[in-house]
Amino acid sequence: MYDYNSYNVKFARKLRKSMTPWENKLWYQFLRGYEVRFYRQKVIQNYVVDFFCTKALLAVELDGGGHYNLQKEEQDKIRTENLAAQNIMLIRFSNLDIDNNFYAVCSEIDRVVKERINPHPQSQPRS
């Protein structure tokens, strides 16, 4: 269980009801049915992350155009560092990635989840 700002719980509920088209696509076409559970709009510390997998300690953020200015980039960097201090990895994708490279986004999320759940897979015995 992670500390969270209870003020953000209502905000997270509102965000769940008004997800962006890109968040909807990733949720309904991949994460909702993924083999390891993800949560939408999860409150962690003072943040609401777009998607969170507790088992892999992985947060996934989808960034629209508002994330590409110096102030927001600095805020995002601090957010990533604060989550990393809690052993939570945050990976980011742009909305354009969802539009143009959806399969690659899903493959990368799958790869990271599996790597974080089983960081040193046993090598297969040779026949």
Side-chain angles (χ1 to χ4, degrees), residues 26 30 60 62 91 93-94 96-99 101-111:
L26 185 60
F30 183 65
V60 177
L62 300 184
I91 57 176
F93 299 98
S94 73
L96 287 175
D97 290 330
I98 298 297
D99 285 339
N101 301 303
F102 187 69
Y103 179 78
V105 169
C106 297
S107 294
E108 179 64 6
I109 293 168
D110 180 58
R111 183 192 68 76

Side-chain angles (χ1 to χ4, degrees), residues 23-67:
E23 291 168 341
N24 271 318
K25 182 174 183 176
L26 185 60
W27 178 250
Y28 286 106
Q29 293 184 30
F30 183 65
L31 295 176
R32 182 177 185 210
Y34 187 67
E35 61 194 83
V36 181
R37 184 168 185 177
F38 271 83
Y39 296 90
R40 298 178 293 160
Q41 309 303 336
K42 178 72 172 168
V43 179
I44 302 172
Q45 299 174 347
N46 288 318
Y47 307 111
V48 179
V49 297
D50 291 338
F51 303 102
F52 183 67
C53 177
T54 305
K55 190 170 183 177
L57 296 175
L58 176 66
V60 177
E61 286 284 297
L62 300 184
D63 294 342
H67 284 263

